[in-house]
Amino acid sequence: MAMTLDGKVMRPDGTWRGLTGSEDRRRMDVLRIANDVLIVGKNSIINDDPDVIPKHASGRPPLPVMICRTLPPVDRKIFRQTIRRPLVFLTKRLSEKVSADLDALGAAADLVFLDDSEMLPESILERLGAMGHNTALLEGGPRLNYSFFQADLVDSLFLTVVPHIIGQRDLPAIVDGIGAMDSFDLKKWRLDTLDFVGSEIYLKYERNRGNHISI
């Protein structure tokens, strides 16, 4: 994730475009290439329409994955790129109605329909693990991040701080949900690396665990 100096992760119009530089984008592609799976949020795809597949990746590129309770638009880059067909987890309720939008999505991505009780981060990671995937990069947005952090499924946090101040009070932080999840007397995160290029700061935090657990 990337955030401004005052902790915002989007512009007032809901987009992020232009707030990070070329070095941040390069580092993002390095992270993507290093993982088996990219889990992206529907709102991020709608608002920013990012190129989730690195253009110059050698070998097999990561699998783009979305978790959706409503149908995402199929005109976004994640569905138009032909390097790796996306995988979309959907609630079974969406399969109960004949829909041209659902047909279009099925033509552009592989669909997995789950009960509402299965539309949870733990269940999704278990299914991805059963498919042979060992590592996942969670790209957000903030609500999707909240569900994974709340379930204590995040091992590393890569955070870019950019030299902007927005100030609008109702814009989200990197994790955005209902209710606090941390116990402040426990040191759950430790700083692993710190670097900077120009005016951007790159931080990596690691989760303090007895044992590392992959998906």
Side-chain angles (χ1 to χ4, degrees):
M1 293 293 290
M3 71 177 190
T4 61
L5 294 174
D6 57 338
K8 311 301 183 182
V9 297
M10 65 178 60
R11 296 173 180 268
D13 64 359
T15 68
W16 179 256
R17 291 187 209 92
L19 291 180
T20 56
S22 59
E23 175 63 14
D24 176 73
R25 293 190 292 272
R26 184 195 69 78
R27 290 174 183 243
M28 190 66 181
D29 275 351
V30 170
L31 289 175
R32 287 167 170 161
I33 294 168
N35 284 273
D36 299 334
V37 171
L38 308 177
I39 303 177
V40 296
K42 188 181 72 172
N43 288 339
S44 298
I45 293 300
I46 291 174
N47 294 330
D48 280 309
D49 196 18
D51 290 306
V52 297
I53 298 294
K55 290 183 173 63
H56 305 293
S58 60
R60 189 167 175 79
L63 172 68
V65 171
M66 296 183 69
I67 308 168
C68 302
R69 294 184 181 274
T70 59
L71 293 178
V74 296
D75 62 346
R76 295 304 189 261
K77 292 176 183 176
I78 189 174
F79 300 116
R80 298 201 309 270
Q81 56 84 21
T82 58
I83 302 175
R84 191 80 189 268
R85 186 176 171 88
L87 176 64
V88 182
F89 291 95
L90 297 164
T91 176
K92 282 184 178 177
R93 290 181 286 104
L94 295 175
S95 68
E96 296 170 356
K97 297 180 180 180
V98 177
S99 166
D101 291 337
L102 183 59
D103 291 341
L105 181 63
D110 295 323
L111 309 183
V112 177
F113 294 96
L114 302 176
D115 292 326
D116 285 345
S117 61
E118 298 177 295
M119 293 286 285
L120 298 172
E122 301 95 320
S123 299
I124 299 298
L125 290 184
E126 286 176 0
R127 286 178 175 270
L128 291 172
M131 295 175 187
H133 304 296
N134 295 312
T135 59
L137 178 66
L138 179 64
E139 294 198 15
R143 291 184 183 178
L144 181 65
N145 290 346
Y146 181 87
S147 65
F148 278 80
F149 274 94
Q150 188 180 44
D152 197 20
L153 295 172
V154 180
D155 294 308
S156 303
L157 170 61
F158 297 87
L159 183 64
T160 301
V161 181
V162 298
H164 302 281
I165 294 178
I166 296 178
Q168 184 171 317
R169 69 175 61 178
D170 58 346
L171 295 177
I174 62 171
V175 179
D176 189 62
I178 299 174
M181 66 179 70
D182 213 345
S183 175
F184 292 98
D185 58 343
L186 299 176
K187 302 296 188 252
K188 290 186 176 181
W189 296 90
R190 62 175 178 82
L191 181 63
D192 184 66
T193 60
L194 183 155
D195 192 14
F196 69 92
V197 174
S199 296
E200 293 183 349
I201 302 171
Y202 310 100
L203 305 166
K204 179 187 177 186
Y205 282 87
E206 291 286 346
R207 179 72 165 85
N208 285 323
R209 299 185 188 276
N211 294 295
H212 178 81
I213 301 174
S214 67
I215 66 170

